[in-house]
Amino acid sequence: MTAPGRRCILAYSGGLDTSVAVHWLTHERHFEVVTLSIDLGETRDPAALQGRALQAGAVAAHVIDARDLFVRHFVWPALMVGARYQGVYPLATALGRPLIARLLVELAREEGATAVAHGCTGKGNDQVRFDVAVAALAPELTVVAPVRDWEMGRSEEIAYAAAHGIEVPVTRESPYSIDANLWGRSVETGVLEDPWVEPPADAYAWTADPAAAPAAGAVVEVAFEGGLPVALDGERLEPAPLVERANALAGAHGVGRIDHVEDRLVGIKSREVYEAPAAVLLDAAHRALEGLTLSRDVLRVKALLAEEWARLVYDGLWYSHLRQCLSAFAVATQGHVAGEVRLRLARGSATVIGRRSPEALYRPELATYDRAGDRFRHQAAEGFISLFGLPLRTQAAVQGQLTEGSDRPLLPPRAQRRIVGPGSGPA
Ligand code: ARG
């Protein structure tokens, strides 16, 4: 059945989709299937995963612990940028995909494979991220997406598995579609598809219910060097353990729940629930330290580029020249972002309550309202204001003063009609 030498590397999660895909790729597409499972923080039992892949018919099953690579090369750049898609989503899933694609490509080259495969559906962003990343890294490889191609629903997949003796996990099936890595947990589908419905308690796994979290909260201190976190509460930690610890600390106080109606690249609006305790905590701390150590202009331009960076990464363009250039800019801003930030975690919020840095641009002798230590030249303000306001004075003198009412919103014609209440008769 299998043509020798026709190898395909399948990104394998161990779930129903990818287990059926092992068999389908072997028998419907005539590949020798080698599976690759990548631990980005959520792989509990690698041996069981390998066993299941082999049982489903894979010729070999690899597991890679990529947690350190993930945090150093994907999460830390996002943190330095301050990236959040549409202002809220810290991009956990979107950051994981380009790394998985790169590791698939590397294994494909080692194994002499001609194709790679993933279990993405045809409606999401993830298929785009994989396909585009693989095309950029290894144009010679074919990308196969069985779940997009085979036109089986869930019950047909279960029947297919039963018919072909494929063992699928016996754990009770989650009512949601979930993707998780160290930087966050993405939850969608099921009752969440109604954007009016509050996410039920079972949608969350990493965060305490804020209402039930300790009222007193807790204080946490994050230390940064060169724009990156290096210690929590005075204890130096390697990148991946630091993120793990931050997830546990902030999650215990209900920090990091995000409920978002998001615009997918494929044109769909979709309701997404995220849990990202470490991302929310570290991003708040990092922003606070940047506020202390970066100039107003750098902060402003950096924020503009952060939005662009987040969009690129969301859209699967991690391996683009523009993403690389924007990252280089962000890195160049981070040299002086060093110091400590104190935050209070309490019932769902992470509030900055203190920050300090040897590199602070904040100068007490300039900021103080206390006459004693004041070094600010108050008289210089007068000349500054005169020139700063010059264009406005000129405009008012030549073109007249602006009056209130000139900035009323332009309503569409329907809304401008007089509204008549019940019983008040025709207008
Ligand atoms: N909407 C998010 C994104 O596109 C999360 C996707 C989650 N993926 C999943 N298979 N559940 O990044």
Side-chain angles (χ1 to χ4, degrees):
M1 194 111 226
T2 305
R6 243 175 80 86
R7 290 212 153 189
C8 176
I9 314 295
L10 169 66
Y12 183 70
S13 72
L16 176 66
D17 286 342
T18 51
S19 295
V20 169
V22 172
H23 189 280
W24 188 88
L25 286 165
T26 307
H27 296 276
E28 302 294 327
R29 291 292 184 266
H30 314 298
F31 283 112
E32 284 179 357
V33 177
V34 173
T35 61
L36 175 59
S37 306
I38 295 160
D39 182 4
L40 299 182
E42 278 295 288
T43 304
R44 294 282 164 259
D45 189 350
L49 207 53
Q50 285 172 304
R52 218 180 293 148
L54 296 174
Q55 193 277 333
V59 298
H62 299 255
V63 179
I64 296 178
D65 178 351
R67 287 174 296 177
D68 184 66
L69 264 181
F70 179 52
V71 177
R72 282 181 201 275
H73 298 291
F74 294 84
V75 170
W76 277 177
L79 181 65
M80 285 196 277
V81 164
R84 291 185 295 201
Y85 179 63
Q86 295 191 315
V88 294
Y89 168 38
L91 294 164
T93 297
L95 290 166
R97 300 318 190 195
L99 173 55
I100 296 172
R102 194 179 99 198
L103 296 172
L104 283 172
V105 164
E106 278 173 15
L107 187 62
R109 287 187 172 143
E110 276 167 38
E111 293 267 350
T114 55
V116 297
H118 58 72
C120 301
T121 69
K123 282 186 102 166
N125 299 311
D126 290 328
Q127 52 170 346
V128 182
R129 296 170 183 151
F130 278 126
D131 294 11
V132 167
V134 172
L137 296 171
E140 73 280 9
L141 291 175
T142 307
V143 184
V144 191
V147 180
R148 197 167 59 191
D149 291 349
W150 66 32
E151 288 178 345
M152 282 191 277
R154 193 164 179 92
S155 51
E156 286 137 312
E157 286 181 38
I158 291 169
Y160 183 106
H164 297 99
I166 301 163
E167 284 171 20
V168 287
V170 286
T171 49
R172 199 176 61 83
E173 197 209 319
S174 164
Y176 309 107
S177 163
I178 296 165
D179 178 68
N181 61 45
L182 282 170
W183 203 230
R185 186 168 171 273
S186 307
V187 190
E188 40 187 38
T189 73
V191 292
L192 301 176
E193 285 179 1
D194 181 347
W196 178 247
V197 168
E198 181 177 6
D202 70 355
Y204 297 108
W206 291 8
T207 52
D209 177 354
V219 173
V220 57
E221 189 178 299
V222 189
F224 288 83
E225 287 170 7
L228 294 175
V230 292
L232 290 177
D233 289 327
E235 186 186 344
R236 286 190 82 89
L237 292 164
E238 289 296 302
L242 190 145
V243 173
E244 276 164 8
R245 180 80 62 85
N247 272 326
L249 280 174
H253 292 277
V255 170
R257 295 185 171 190
I258 298 161
D259 180 344
H260 184 215
V261 171
E262 169 175 303
D263 287 281
R264 289 192 188 163
L265 177 57
V266 294
I268 302 168
K269 279 196 188 290
S270 139
R271 202 279 187 90
E272 310 276 334
V273 171
Y274 299 109
E275 290 187 280
V280 167
L281 168 68
L282 297 175
D283 181 64
H286 182 254
R287 256 167 230 280
L289 198 56
E290 286 193 328
L292 194 66
T293 56
L294 298 183
S295 72
R296 181 167 92 138
D297 279 336
V298 169
L299 288 170
R300 182 175 56 81
V301 173
K302 190 168 176 289
L304 294 173
L305 299 182
E307 194 177 326
E308 200 54 33
W309 194 97
R311 191 190 58 82
L312 286 168
V313 172
Y314 185 85
D315 287 358
L317 301 175
W318 178 271
Y319 294 106
S320 65
H321 189 211
L322 180 55
R323 204 281 307 161
Q324 191 183 37
C325 292
L326 295 181
S327 283
F329 172 84
V331 169
T333 63
Q334 296 297 294
H336 303 290
V337 182
E340 287 92 38
V341 180
R342 253 181 327 130
L343 304 98
R344 180 173 293 282
L345 310 174
R347 300 213 154 156
S349 66
T351 311
V352 174
I353 54 170
R355 67 292 265 160
R356 66 180 175 195
S357 169
E359 313 254 24
L361 300 177
Y362 176 90
R363 303 312 308 169
E365 67 275 22
L366 293 178
T368 186
Y369 275 85
D370 182 357
R371 288 219 160 261
D374 193 356
R375 295 283 170 275
F376 185 79
R377 280 179 53 212
H378 293 245
Q379 293 70 28
E382 205 182 316
F384 165 75
I385 294 164
S386 169
L387 294 186
F388 181 72
L390 180 58
L392 254 71
R393 291 204 309 278
T394 307
Q395 178 198 293
V398 176
Q399 299 174 348
Q401 292 168 3
L402 293 184
T403 55
E404 278 78 32
S406 56
D407 52 0
R408 221 176 269 151
L410 292 177
L411 300 178
R414 230 192 132 68
Q416 273 174 347
R417 276 189 215 151
R418 219 182 120 206
I419 296 163
V420 179
S424 64

